[in-house]
Amino acid sequence: MSNAPLSGPDSSFLSIVCVDVVALAYDRGARRVLVGTHRREIAPFRGKQALPGVVVHSGERLRDAAGRALVKLGITAPLPALGQLRTFDEPSRDPRGPSLSIAMWAALPDHTVLPHQPALWAPIDAAPTLVFDHNEMVEDARAILAERLWRDIEFTRNLTGAEFTATDAVAITEQLSGKPPHRANLNRDLAHLAGLVEAGTAPGTGGRPPKLWRWEA
C-alpha cells in the first residue's frame, strides 16, 4: 500500500487502485525463503511493517508500478521476475477510504538482498505482523506460488538462482507449500524441467552430498 493519502474530489465514491508486492528471495545459507517488508513512514500505521506498495498512476502499467514499489526495499533496476497474484477489494481494507490492491509477486536473486537496504527480510512461513491485509497477501502468495514452483520457469529460476542443491529444492518447496515434498517425486520433476541439468554433487560437510542442479544459460 502506498504512503500517499487517498484523497481527491470524488474520493468518497471511487476506489483507489494500488499495487502491493510480495517480494521473495531465497537465502541459501540459511535455506529459507524470505519475504521483504518495510517500515511505513506516514499514517496510517506509521512505523509499522508493510509490504511495498504504491498507488497506480493514470495510464501506468502494473509492472512499472511494482518497480516503484520495490524501491522501498532498496531494489532498483533490473526488475526481477514479476507476476500477478490476485486482487484484494475488501471495502474496509484501508482506513483512509475505499481502495483495491492488485497483489503481485516478485522473485529476487539472493544477491539483491543486502543488509544495508531499507527492508526487513523475514522467513515467509514466519512473516511479521503486517498492516492492512498484507499478511493475507503473503499467505495467498505462498499457496499460489507453491503451485507455480517447478512449473513456471521464470519464477523458479529467479528464486533458486543459477544453481541449487536437492536440499535447497526440498527447503523451498516445503516453505511455500507448508509440507515436506515427496523427494522421489520432486527429483523426477526436476529431471524433466526444461533448461535444468544435473551438475554433479555439492561439496559436502559430512554424510552423503546432495545432488547439484544448474540452469543452462
Side-chain angles (χ1 to χ4, degrees):
M1 177 62 61
S2 168
N3 288 338
L6 304 186
S7 61
D10 297 315
S11 60
S12 60
F13 302 102
L14 299 178
S15 290
I16 300 297
V17 179
C18 307
V19 160
D20 291 299
V21 184
V22 181
L24 304 184
Y26 179 61
D27 181 346
R28 65 189 62 255
R31 294 203 177 98
R32 304 287 289 189
V33 177
L34 307 178
V35 61
T37 66
H38 74 105
R39 189 180 300 277
R40 284 181 57 81
E41 296 179 351
I42 67 169
F45 311 121
R46 181 175 183 174
K48 303 295 185 181
Q49 291 294 318
L51 294 175
V54 295
V55 173
V56 179
H57 294 160
S58 176
E60 186 177 27
R61 302 290 298 270
L62 296 180
R63 180 178 179 85
D64 294 332
R68 288 195 296 115
L70 287 171
V71 172
K72 297 179 180 182
L73 301 182
I75 306 299
T76 55
L79 285 177
L82 290 167
Q84 291 186 47
L85 294 167
R86 74 175 181 88
T87 299
F88 290 75
D89 59 357
E90 169 59 44
S92 61
R93 63 179 301 275
D94 191 312
R96 295 170 294 183
S99 74
L100 61 84
S101 173
I102 301 168
M104 300 185 69
W105 60 263
L108 304 164
D110 60 354
H111 66 267
T112 64
V113 180
L114 303 175
H116 70 269
Q117 292 178 348
L120 170 66
W121 292 90
I124 194 170
D125 54 357
T129 299
L130 305 176
V131 298
F132 303 111
D133 45 8
H134 290 182
N135 282 101
E136 184 181 354
M137 290 182 185
V138 172
E139 285 307 302
D140 274 25
R142 287 184 68 192
I144 293 170
L145 296 177
E147 292 297 318
R148 298 185 76 121
L149 186 65
W150 317 122
R151 294 176 175 83
D152 182 320
I153 300 300
E154 183 185 29
F155 165 65
T156 302
R157 187 167 181 159
N158 272 267
L159 190 61
T160 64
E163 65 179 30
F164 60 95
T165 67
T167 305
D168 293 323
V170 169
I172 293 170
T173 303
E174 181 170 359
Q175 287 160 49
L176 289 181
S177 68
K179 57 185 179 181
H182 188 287
R183 295 192 179 222
N185 290 344
L186 178 57
N187 284 331
R188 185 164 54 249
D189 289 343
L190 296 178
H192 287 89
L193 273 182
L196 187 65
V197 296
E198 290 188 37
T201 56
T205 57
R208 183 178 179 180
K211 185 180 296 185
L212 186 67
W213 297 90
R214 179 175 298 132
W215 294 101
E216 295 179 314

